[in-house]
Amino acid sequence: MKIIISAIILSLVSIIEVYGQREVIDKKLQEYGIPQDYIVNALKEGEAEYYFKFKSVTWLPTGLGMEGIVEEGEFNPELPIGEKWKLLKINGNAPNEKESKKFNKLQNTEKNNVNAEIEEESYRIVEDNDNELIISLKFKKKTLPERYKFLSKCTGLAHIDKNLKRLVKIEYKNDFPVKVWHYKATGLALVQQYIHDEEENKYFIAHEEMDITSNYMGKGVTILFDIDYSDYKKVK
């Protein structure tokens, strides 16, 4: 009986600590004028309201060095489920049917109402100094859109500049081996740079820089991704 009571008490203490952290973080965000959806807004699909363009360069190792593959496209929340992400060009040319199907499979979410949610127990302050507030986070796997499924095996650190009163970046590193699109990675480092829309008080990803350690063509190699996002427009 004592064991059961002790377990219940420990569980209650844990719940109080988790939600206590949430309250502390929310108060600090309010102090800097940062909305509570500052992280998940950029990872919504079901509730997405903004159109944008992207340009991605993937650097793959070859016998002669690094080869760059340039992909250009757009995200349109007004399109049906499974069609919101669209590939428009590969290395300056329109994609063929095979390339479009491959892109759609890897990037487009087939389920309805998928919007990223943070695991409460992971959401906590890890550093709070004179210049910066750093908050750790992890996402619930089932809430992530297809393009960002790999983040379910990563821990993120959100960096808030106290002087600017802005979220400036989120850094992710993998906790376990992870599949990033069609690459199996033992190591991953992703940095997302953010921009702020003052009128709407929303945060959007401006740039992503990611490197992964993968087994490519039978060798352990580093693959680099350099992605720009632009022309955000509210359409819903």
Side-chain angles (χ1 to χ4, degrees):
M1 186 67 178
K2 289 182 179 180
I3 295 174
I4 295 173
I5 293 173
S6 297
I8 292 172
I9 292 172
L10 287 172
S11 178
L12 289 172
V13 169
S14 178
I15 291 170
I16 291 170
E17 287 179 350
V18 166
Y19 286 95
Q21 276 283 302
R22 166 65 78 170
E23 288 183 5
V24 170
I25 293 171
D26 287 349
K27 285 181 181 179
K28 286 186 176 290
L29 294 178
Q30 187 175 13
E31 180 182 339
Y32 304 132
I34 297 175
Q36 292 184 14
D37 70 347
Y38 69 116
I39 294 173
V40 299
N41 179 66
L43 301 179
K44 291 180 179 179
E45 284 206 10
E47 297 176 0
E49 298 177 318
Y50 289 80
Y51 165 94
F52 58 84
K53 296 178 182 179
F54 69 88
K55 184 176 182 179
S56 171
V57 183
T58 303
W59 294 99
L60 297 169
T62 68
L64 300 175
M66 300 292 282
E67 175 188 0
I69 300 174
V70 182
E71 296 179 324
E72 298 176 65
E74 61 187 9
F75 175 86
N76 188 343
E78 292 189 303
L79 293 178
I81 294 295
E83 300 178 24
K84 297 181 184 296
W85 290 90
K86 187 175 182 180
L87 180 63
L88 300 176
K89 293 182 182 179
I90 296 183
N91 293 332
N93 301 311
N96 58 39
E97 184 178 353
K98 182 179 179 181
E99 289 167 335
S100 293
K101 283 184 177 180
K102 181 179 179 181
F103 176 87
N104 289 337
K105 182 179 179 181
L106 295 172
Q107 306 294 335
N108 270 304
T109 304
E110 295 293 340
K111 294 181 180 179
N112 195 14
N113 200 31
V114 174
N115 304 288
E117 295 179 18
I118 295 171
E119 290 183 353
E120 288 291 339
E121 60 269 24
S122 74
Y123 195 55
R124 56 184 60 248
I125 295 170
V126 295
E127 189 169 341
D128 189 2
N129 56 47
D130 291 340
N131 299 311
E132 193 174 37
L133 174 67
I134 303 177
I135 301 170
S136 75
L137 61 112
K138 295 190 71 169
F139 294 106
K140 299 176 183 178
K141 182 178 180 179
K142 292 183 178 180
T143 70
L144 287 166
E146 196 66 35
R147 182 176 175 86
Y148 291 103
K149 281 288 186 186
F150 62 88
L151 289 182
S152 66
K153 293 188 177 181
C154 300
T155 296
L157 293 175
H159 293 254
I160 294 170
D161 188 309
K162 290 185 173 181
N163 299 309
L164 296 175
K165 296 184 177 180
R166 294 286 184 267
L167 167 70
V168 292
K169 66 179 179 180
I170 302 180
E171 299 175 319
Y172 294 95
K173 290 191 175 179
N174 63 310
D175 302 313
F176 310 96
V178 60
K179 188 173 183 180
V180 183
W181 306 319
H182 53 279
Y183 302 102
K184 293 181 179 180
T186 54
L188 175 150
L190 166 64
V191 179
Q192 293 177 331
Q193 303 286 347
Y194 279 75
I195 54 173
H196 179 242
D197 183 321
E198 293 189 9
E199 185 175 340
E200 295 287 340
N201 195 19
K202 295 286 185 182
Y203 283 88
F204 304 101
I205 301 170
H207 182 78
E208 290 179 326
E209 189 172 314
M210 178 167 63
D211 61 80
I212 64 172
T213 304
S214 179
N215 190 328
Y216 181 71
M217 297 181 69
K219 296 181 180 180
V221 297
T222 298
I223 301 172
L224 307 176
F225 302 87
D226 199 7
I227 310 171
D228 287 313
Y229 299 89
S230 61
D231 293 351
Y232 283 95
K233 297 174 185 176
K234 190 171 184 178
V235 294
K236 290 180 69 177

